[in-house]
Amino acid sequence: MYTDADRAKVVHDEAKRLEAFLSALSPEEWQRPSQCDQWLVADVVAHLVSAKHAERIVRALQGEQGPPAGGAPSGTLNENAFRESVAQSAIALRSLLGDALLAVFCAENEQMDEMLTGMKSADWEKLCYHPMGPEPVRTIV
């Protein structure tokens, strides 16, 4: 069974591995199709950034479960609308960030790492915004 510290370490280690992998990609490789239907590799990375996991968790730790600016209220999207929203926000962010995508991804990882290593046991159970309905921080992680 994983402890919360184990989870934080796994997130840290996997983020660093992904950063190293992505740093080695050529510009052409960023534009290759990914394993996600109709998404480029860059779209997948943009999705990880656009999900704003760290921001949502920070807000949960402060007791805020509502949507971030521009976000749909929890539970108001059906699954198809949710999927479309996820895809469109990732593609739009990839276009907006362009060559800065990797740097923003790495900065998000750093913020997540700092936050997770400082969390207390009870923090992992706090409810966090998710478009389909609130989820415990532990589930988001």
Side-chain angles (χ1 to χ4, degrees):
M1 179 165 189
Y2 284 110
T3 67
D4 296 331
D6 293 335
R7 282 183 182 84
K9 176 134 177 51
V10 167
V11 169
H12 169 82
D13 292 348
E14 291 302 315
K16 293 302 177 193
R17 285 183 44 201
L18 185 52
E19 287 174 14
F21 171 79
L22 294 170
S23 295
L25 294 180
S26 69
E28 295 78 23
E29 290 170 315
W30 278 84
Q31 300 306 311
R32 290 178 42 194
S34 74
Q35 294 297 312
C36 298
D37 189 35
Q38 300 181 15
W39 283 25
L40 304 175
V41 170
D43 296 331
V44 174
V45 176
H47 165 64
L48 294 172
V49 173
S50 71
K52 299 183 179 187
H53 292 109
E55 177 186 332
R56 290 191 289 153
I57 293 170
V58 165
R59 294 177 73 239
L61 297 176
Q62 297 169 344
E64 176 60 49
Q65 296 174 27
S74 286
T76 60
L77 299 176
N78 65 41
E79 194 163 330
N80 288 336
F82 172 64
R83 287 181 182 162
E84 183 63 24
S85 172
V86 166
Q88 292 306 315
S89 65
I91 292 167
L93 187 63
R94 183 242 315 145
S95 296
L96 177 70
L97 293 177
D99 292 340
L101 179 58
L102 180 60
V104 171
F105 175 70
C106 292
E108 289 276 326
N109 289 341
E110 186 65 31
Q111 181 184 9
M112 179 70 92
D113 189 48
E114 288 175 19
M115 180 182 42
L116 293 180
T117 57
M119 285 179 27
K120 296 174 178 47
S121 183
D123 292 338
W124 291 85
E125 295 304 321
K126 291 186 177 179
L127 290 179
C128 187
Y129 168 79
H130 189 278
M132 297 298 289
E135 297 277 355
V137 168
R138 181 176 284 114
T139 302
I140 298 296
V141 172

